[in-house]
Amino acid sequence: MARLDIQQADMAILGGQAATADILFQMGLDSASGRYGATDLVSAHKWFNIAALKGNREAVLHRKEISGEMSREDIAEAQRCAREWLSAH
């Protein structure tokens, strides 16, 4: 059996596909809705932030919407995670 090396567990969902703005946006929706487990607004914000940087306009609106439900600390953590992801990829 082949061994798949993944730096972060949340990247497994990409399944070898390029991280396009649309895929990242969908990851944000999945995190915000709890599609694969518990709702995770920090992760959702991170993915929406990255998708917005890659040109997805809807991601900007969703990021703004969930920001109203998050603490400043959570938003800061999401932004830090987005920067880390961008640095690694």
Side-chain angles (χ1 to χ4, degrees):
M1 182 190 290
R3 182 171 180 250
L4 181 61
D5 229 358
I6 299 173
Q7 290 180 348
Q8 295 181 354
D10 53 19
M11 291 307 298
I13 202 167
L14 290 176
Q17 298 177 14
T20 66
D22 290 340
I23 289 172
L24 295 165
F25 175 70
Q26 184 61 53
M27 291 172 71
L29 291 175
D30 292 346
S31 295
S33 68
R35 181 174 184 184
Y36 297 110
T39 299
D40 185 348
L41 295 183
V42 172
S43 288
H45 190 285
K46 172 183 81 173
W47 295 126
F48 289 146
N49 197 21
I50 298 167
L53 288 171
K54 290 185 174 268
N56 187 299
R57 292 182 181 165
E58 283 184 84
V60 175
L61 300 173
H62 286 274
R63 182 185 60 201
K64 182 178 180 181
E65 183 179 329
I66 66 169
S67 291
E69 300 176 35
M70 299 170 68
S71 68
R72 286 189 292 182
E73 293 81 11
D74 286 343
I75 292 169
E77 181 180 345
Q79 291 171 336
R80 180 186 54 76
C81 290
R83 284 191 302 273
E84 288 176 359
W85 189 90
L86 289 167
S87 292
H89 300 89

